[in-house]
């Protein structure tokens, strides 16, 4: 069987199927066509996955000569390797569920067709990104997901917060794009090639790898470039689900996985990845603890899990980072869709303190939130357990510094605390919302996608674990306490969370802890303090320069001061005395005569 040909044909056919609704932009049933196209593409994309499982199919590359810049040939290159073949069906299945859910969530929106066009273009850009065979093709997908995220986050553009959030996402991503463009230009000028297979054979300087890491950190919202991720919750819930599960935010981690051959022998780059990931996962988990907006809690949990993926890259285990991307997509998309159902039913209420008692009213949604939160914690044999436990085991048995290990372990326990907090506030105890609200989840368009993702959250970890054969051996023997450390820490976090629930969450707080333990200091410093300092300094400098140079030295005051001496001298002459005038006349005549004699 010609596996490369079949895989290539299936890939091209699935891309063509996805593009079909975009060729019918005025169709009144565009949204339904989009769902059918994504569903069909998913089933087509599973065929190369079967080839990967049965025949251990490795890599095939398709290249088209595009254009030349001096001596550099730029190709449009597609590479189908195990990572691409595994990720595309996962992304398509998650997107199929989100797009079907959007039919229910956005049914009242007057521009629903445009919304589905945006979602589809977003998905196509991500598929191009994961299947890129060189940096220029990857950059097209990279910019594609960037611009579509801007349009989708700012969907409710009449709200000033939505417009600001969309602009914030773009501006933070520009920082990473500078790093990405820097690497492309440097490689093109130095090596005359930007194909992955060629770059991997070269000795790449550390500064260039750091530029790649900055690009990944901005796209995957790592510490320092993370505030845009929580702000992106201003978009519709299906957008948040797609953005945080299998498209935009995993693009940065995917870039690091893709270029891993040039990172694996560079100790500086690995240490940067490890420490950056550890700080990000701990800080985002701490932020999630203090939030009350359900979407922001889930958003910060995404940032925390992305940090864990970067830690895996820093440990030289990119396949574990990819494993966590794959399992994380299912339960994170499901958590967002469930939160969307709750928000929709509670008349756009997002504060978890105003929910409660929903296990009787929304049984499917609350069950799925519980499954998703348990998977996120790393509960044994759910999807998150296989990947998360493997990463914590790897960091325990590696030579990583103890500091990175400790804060990663602390972040793992925090995951259990904020996950239980979401379950507790939404599902348990008594309702804390207006009793006149009409709640139902009888629409299969909203429940079927969530059920599909729930099944994925339960079984996907085990299935991917069977398929994803690690390229390097993993330590199989370790002390019992080290083996169960991730579970113990999660259990400890769970018990602490239960204790907190009994003590503080059920009582009226005497002081607002979320104000005294405020983790939003970072956006406050970056978005308010720093710009205001710079602007005030600039204003002072410019006004000082204008006052002293233009007004005092060169402008009106300068001209006046330079003209005053000759004016005063002229005034001294004009006293009306005949002898002064006769003296001037005589002097003038003498000068004229001397001048005439000289000529």
């Amino acid at each position: 069987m010609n596996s490369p040909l079949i895989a290539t044909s299936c890939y091209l056919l699935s891309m063509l199927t996805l593009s079909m609704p975009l060729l019918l932009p005025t169709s009144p049933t565009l949204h339904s066509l989009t769902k059918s196209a994504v569903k069909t593409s998913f089933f087509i994309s599973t065929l190369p996955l079967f080839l990967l499982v049965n025949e251990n199919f490795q890599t095939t590359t398709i290249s088209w000569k595009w254009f030349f810049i001096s001596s550099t040939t730029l190709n449009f290159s597609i590479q189908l390797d195990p990572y691409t073949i595994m990720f595309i069906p996962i992304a398509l299945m998650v997107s199929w569920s989100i797009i079907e859910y959007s039919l229910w969530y956005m049914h009242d929106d007057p521009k629903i067709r445009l919304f589905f066009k945006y979602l589809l273009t977003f998905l196509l850009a991500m598929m191009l990104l994961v299947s890129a065979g060189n940096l220029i093709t990857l950059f097209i997908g990279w910019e594609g997901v960037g611009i579509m995220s801007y349009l989708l986050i700012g969907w409710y553009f009449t709200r000033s917060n939505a417009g600001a959030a969309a602009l914030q996402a773009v501006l933070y991503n520009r920082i990473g794009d500078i790093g990405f463009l820097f690497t492309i230009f440097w490689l093109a000028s130095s090596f005359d090639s930007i194909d992955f297979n060629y770059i991997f054979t070269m000795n790449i300087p550390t500064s260039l790898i750091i530029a790649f890491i900055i690009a990944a950190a901005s796209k995957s919202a790592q510490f320092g470039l993370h505030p845009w991720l929580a702000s992106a919750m201003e978009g519709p819930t299906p957008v948040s689900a797609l953005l945080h599960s299998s498209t935009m935010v995993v693009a940065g981690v995917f870039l690091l996985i893709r270029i891993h051959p040039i990172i694996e022998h560079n100790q500086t780059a690995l240490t940067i990845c490890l420490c950056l990931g550890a700080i990000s996962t701990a800080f985002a988990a701490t932020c999630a603890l203090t939030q009350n907006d359900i979407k922001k809690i889930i958003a910060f949990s995404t940032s925390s899990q992305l940090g864990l993926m970067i830690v895996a890259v820093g440990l030289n285990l990119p396949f574990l980072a990819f494993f966590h991307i794959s399992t994380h997509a299912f339960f994170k998309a499901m958590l967002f869709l469930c939160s969307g159902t709750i928000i929709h039913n509670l008349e756009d209420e997002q504060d978890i303190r105003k929910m409660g008692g929903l296990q009787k009213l929304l049984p499917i949604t609350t069950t799925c939130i519980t499954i998703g939160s348990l998977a996120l914690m790393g509960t044994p044999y759910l999807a998150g357990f296989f990947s998360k436990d493997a990463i914590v085991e790897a960091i325990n048995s590696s030579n990583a510094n103890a500091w990175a290990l400790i804060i990663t372990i602390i972040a793992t326990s925090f995951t259990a605390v904020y996950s239980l907090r979401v379950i507790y506030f939404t599902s348990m105890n008594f309702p804390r919302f207006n009793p006149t609200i009409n709640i139902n989840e009888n629409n299969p368009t909203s429940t079927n996608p969530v059920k599909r993702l729930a099944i994925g959250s339960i079984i996907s970890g085990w299935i991917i674990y069977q398929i994803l054969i690690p390229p390097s051996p993993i330590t199989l023997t370790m002390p019992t306490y080290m083996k169960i450390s991730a579970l113990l820490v999660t259990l400890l976090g769970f018990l602490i969370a239960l204790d907190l629930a009994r003590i503080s969450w059920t009582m009226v707080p005497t002081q607002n802890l979320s104000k005294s333990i405020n983790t939003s200091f970072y956006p406050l410093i970056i978005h308010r303090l720093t710009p205001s300092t710079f602007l005030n300094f600039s204003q002072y400098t410019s006004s000082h320069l204008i006052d002293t140079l233009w007004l005092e030295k060169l402008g009106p005051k300068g001209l006046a001061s330079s003209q005053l001496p000759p004016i005063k001298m002229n005034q001294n002459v004009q006293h009306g005395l005949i002898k002064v005038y006769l003296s001037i006349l005589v002097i003038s005549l003498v000068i004229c005569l001397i001048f005439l004699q000289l000529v």
Side-chain angles (χ1 to χ4, degrees):
M1 188 183 290
N2 193 341
S3 301
L5 182 63
I6 294 170
T8 307
S9 304
C10 289
Y11 171 79
L12 294 173
L13 185 60
S14 64
M15 290 291 274
L16 185 65
T17 309
L18 277 179
S19 308
M20 287 303 286
L22 296 176
L23 302 175
L24 303 165
T26 55
S27 171
T29 58
L30 180 79
H31 38 289
S32 304
L33 286 173
T34 305
K35 189 202 89 168
S36 304
V38 176
K39 181 179 176 181
T40 310
S41 294
F42 162 67
F43 287 114
I44 294 168
S45 68
T46 52
L47 189 56
L49 188 60
F50 291 136
L51 290 175
L52 175 70
V53 174
N54 290 325
E55 301 186 12
N56 198 18
F57 166 70
Q58 288 305 311
T59 304
T60 184
T61 305
I62 322 158
S63 265
W64 293 275
K65 278 189 182 176
W66 196 4
F67 60 93
F68 299 90
I69 297 177
S70 185
S71 59
T72 307
T73 307
L74 292 178
N75 297 326
F76 187 84
S77 185
I78 299 297
Q79 177 178 303
L80 300 178
D81 64 348
Y83 288 140
T84 306
I85 289 166
M86 280 194 65
F87 186 80
I88 285 177
I90 291 166
L92 284 171
M93 185 184 174
V94 170
S95 302
W96 165 30
S97 301
I98 292 167
I99 283 169
E100 186 177 340
Y101 179 87
S102 303
L103 290 171
W104 171 76
Y105 195 88
M106 303 294 288
H107 71 279
D108 284 337
D109 200 291
K111 293 187 176 179
I112 186 168
R113 285 186 295 174
L114 183 64
F115 181 77
F116 275 81
K117 281 181 214 168
Y118 284 176
L119 283 183
L120 200 54
T121 314
F122 195 27
L123 181 58
L124 281 166
M126 188 63 196
M127 284 184 67
L128 184 62
L129 187 147
V130 297
S131 58
N134 62 18
L135 286 173
I136 196 78
T137 313
L138 198 148
F139 190 69
I140 294 166
W142 184 273
E143 285 302 300
V145 293
I147 192 65
M148 294 319 297
S149 69
Y150 170 74
L151 293 169
L152 288 165
I153 293 166
W155 181 254
Y156 300 126
F157 55 86
T158 50
R159 295 207 310 246
S160 60
N161 283 351
L167 198 59
Q168 193 176 315
V170 165
L171 291 175
Y172 271 104
N173 280 289
R174 286 314 88 186
I175 298 166
D177 293 346
I178 291 165
F180 204 137
L181 283 169
F182 171 75
T183 56
I184 291 175
F185 296 150
W186 192 93
L187 290 165
S189 61
S190 300
F191 297 151
D192 278 344
S193 177
I194 48 172
D195 288 338
F196 289 129
N197 296 332
Y198 184 78
I199 296 165
F200 295 160
T201 60
M202 295 291 120
N203 186 21
I204 306 293
T206 305
S207 56
L208 209 67
I209 299 172
I210 291 170
F212 270 128
I213 293 168
I214 291 168
S218 77
K219 194 66 91 176
S220 291
Q222 295 304 286
F223 180 74
L225 300 168
H226 66 276
W228 71 267
L229 197 66
S231 303
M233 294 301 97
E234 291 295 331
T237 303
V239 172
S240 304
L242 195 59
L243 198 79
H244 286 246
S245 60
S246 57
T247 54
M248 174 85 167
V249 293
V250 298
V253 183
F254 199 89
L255 173 68
L256 292 180
I257 293 168
R258 182 63 84 206
I259 62 157
H260 184 259
I262 63 173
I263 300 177
E264 61 183 337
H265 300 302
N266 190 311
Q267 205 54 51
T268 308
L270 291 173
T271 306
I272 290 170
C273 283
L274 180 69
C275 295
L276 179 67
I279 294 167
S280 301
T281 190
F283 183 78
T286 313
C287 289
L289 290 176
T290 61
Q291 293 293 325
N292 293 313
D293 183 325
I294 186 168
K295 283 177 75 175
K296 286 197 175 177
I297 293 171
I298 303 169
F300 277 119
S301 87
T302 303
S303 192
S304 181
Q305 298 309 304
L306 290 165
L308 199 61
M309 295 168 201
I310 302 276
V311 165
V313 173
L315 291 170
N316 240 344
L317 298 167
F319 59 91
L320 284 185
F322 179 77
F323 191 6
H324 199 47
I325 285 175
S326 304
T327 55
H328 175 260
F330 286 98
F331 53 79
K332 190 49 57 76
M334 182 176 69
L335 283 170
F336 270 114
L337 298 190
C338 291
S339 70
T341 303
I342 291 169
I343 291 163
H344 217 59
N345 277 297
L346 296 184
E347 293 180 358
D348 300 331
E349 182 55 69
Q350 294 186 203
D351 193 328
I352 55 172
R353 295 168 298 182
K354 296 179 183 176
M355 296 177 186
L358 291 172
Q359 76 271 27
K360 301 275 177 65
L361 300 169
L362 299 170
I364 296 170
T365 305
T366 49
T367 303
C368 290
I369 276 195
T370 307
I371 291 167
S373 298
L374 290 172
L376 181 62
M377 284 185 220
T379 306
Y381 309 113
L382 293 181
F385 166 75
F386 289 93
S387 54
K388 195 173 180 180
D389 199 61
I391 294 170
V392 176
E393 271 180 26
I395 197 171
N396 277 340
S397 57
S398 71
N399 294 322
N401 59 41
W403 177 81
L405 166 63
I406 289 163
I407 64 170
T408 306
I409 294 289
I410 290 168
T412 306
S413 67
F414 282 177
T415 307
V417 179
Y418 65 69
S419 297
L420 184 74
R421 190 164 171 260
V422 168
I423 296 169
Y424 191 89
F425 272 98
T426 55
S427 309
M428 299 167 76
N429 278 2
F430 49 86
R432 294 180 294 278
F433 49 82
N434 191 336
T436 59
I437 288 174
N438 181 25
I439 293 177
N440 77 80
E441 56 174 5
N442 299 324
N443 194 325
T445 318
S446 70
T447 53
N448 287 346
V450 175
K451 288 176 189 173
R452 260 200 309 277
L453 292 170
I455 293 164
S457 301
I458 296 165
I459 64 169
S460 66
W462 181 77
I463 293 169
I464 297 166
Y465 176 73
Q466 302 299 324
I467 298 169
L468 195 71
I469 300 162
S472 57
I474 302 175
T475 308
L476 297 175
T477 55
M478 60 180 77
T480 309
Y481 68 86
M482 199 182 281
K483 178 73 178 167
I484 62 170
S485 62
L487 286 175
L488 285 176
V489 167
T490 304
L491 187 63
L492 180 67
F494 195 81
L495 293 172
I496 291 168
L498 279 174
D499 206 37
L500 283 171
R502 288 199 194 94
I503 295 167
S504 60
W505 297 348
T506 52
M507 295 162 64
V508 177
T510 51
Q511 58 175 351
N512 195 337
L513 283 175
S514 63
K515 290 290 181 190
S516 57
I517 313 169
N518 191 356
T519 52
S520 64
F521 66 87
Y522 190 91
L524 190 69
I525 292 167
I526 297 298
H527 300 163
R528 294 286 171 87
L529 198 60
T530 309
S532 66
T533 306
F534 276 113
L535 289 169
N536 289 335
F537 175 73
S538 304
Q539 185 186 14
Y540 173 76
T541 309
S542 59
S543 61
H544 187 69
L545 287 170
I546 288 166
D547 282 346
T548 55
L549 284 177
W550 178 243
L551 292 175
E552 301 284 346
K553 305 291 183 193
L554 301 172
K557 288 185 180 178
L559 284 169
S561 60
S562 62
Q563 295 298 321
L564 274 174
I567 290 168
K568 284 181 178 178
M569 189 180 289
N570 197 24
Q571 279 179 343
N572 291 334
V573 172
Q574 305 293 337
H575 283 304
L577 297 175
I578 190 72
K579 61 180 182 180
V580 175
Y581 297 141
L582 286 171
S583 301
I584 291 170
L585 177 64
V586 169
I587 291 165
S588 301
L589 284 169
V590 170
I591 291 169
C592 287
L593 286 168
I594 293 167
F595 184 72
L596 288 168
Q597 287 294 323
L598 289 170
V599 173

